[in-house]
Amino acid sequence: EFQDTTAPETREQIVANLANFAYDPINYEHLRRLNILDLFLDMLSEDNETLVEFGIGGICNACLDPLNRQHITANNGIALVVRCLASSNEETVLSAMLSLSYLETAETREQIRCEPVVECVRRYSASKNARLRNLATIFLEKK
């Protein structure tokens, strides 16, 4: 259905629904089998900020699972998620920070904890927005 429509509202609704499904571990195998993780990754490069928001939300919901995490990191997911930190959409930034925390492993730590990412998150830790400030502080305190 997503591939058959060009209506922005319909596409947004489909990705939003899939992101919600990604929250439940019972759906992880289906998400992988249907290449929904790739759809979420593709959404991170869209010009439509709502699609980016729902795409990063789906990544955030799914990346706690080790197989999903491996798929995301193997498909340039960290770089795509890092780009979301520059969004003007608060939900996108929050999901990106949380996703990076979930994606961090011994193998990905260097890429996630690089100076540009840490500096960006450090700026959020000084934000007047309590949600951004608190999540950034947690990210920076994580060792």
Side-chain angles (χ1 to χ4, degrees):
E1 186 178 354
F2 181 85
Q3 294 169 338
D4 295 335
T5 186
T6 58
E9 299 83 15
T10 303
R11 291 169 58 94
E12 291 167 2
Q13 187 63 49
I14 292 167
V15 178
N17 289 339
L18 291 170
N20 286 334
F21 290 135
Y23 186 74
D24 190 341
I26 201 164
N27 296 321
Y28 289 166
E29 182 180 334
H30 303 293
L31 294 171
R32 287 189 296 270
R33 183 174 45 81
L34 297 171
N35 299 315
I36 303 302
L37 296 174
D38 293 325
L39 176 68
F40 291 151
L41 290 169
D42 289 345
M43 293 303 98
L44 302 187
S45 299
E46 285 287 325
D47 291 332
N48 178 327
E49 185 58 43
T50 303
L51 288 175
V52 175
E53 176 185 344
F54 295 149
I56 190 63
I59 294 291
C60 188
N61 287 343
C63 70
L64 280 172
D65 176 75
L67 291 175
N68 292 345
R69 182 184 315 115
Q70 180 181 21
H71 182 87
I72 292 163
T73 58
N75 287 280
N76 199 37
I78 292 174
L80 292 168
V81 171
V82 166
R83 286 182 30 199
C84 291
L85 291 174
S87 175
S88 60
N89 181 315
E90 176 185 342
E91 295 302 322
T92 297
V93 173
L94 289 166
S95 291
M97 273 195 277
L98 195 52
S99 295
L100 289 172
S101 291
Y102 293 157
L103 291 169
E104 187 175 339
T105 65
E107 294 80 25
T108 63
R109 185 165 292 120
E110 188 173 309
Q111 190 177 4
I112 291 173
R113 294 292 169 166
C114 67
E115 189 56 35
V117 172
V118 171
E119 189 53 41
C120 179
V121 174
R122 191 172 287 125
R123 285 191 299 275
Y124 285 119
S125 72
S127 174
K128 292 181 181 179
N129 180 311
R131 294 172 71 207
L132 289 170
R133 183 178 62 245
N134 291 343
L135 190 53
T137 301
I138 290 167
F139 179 92
L140 293 170
E141 290 176 352
K142 184 180 173 186
K143 300 292 179 195

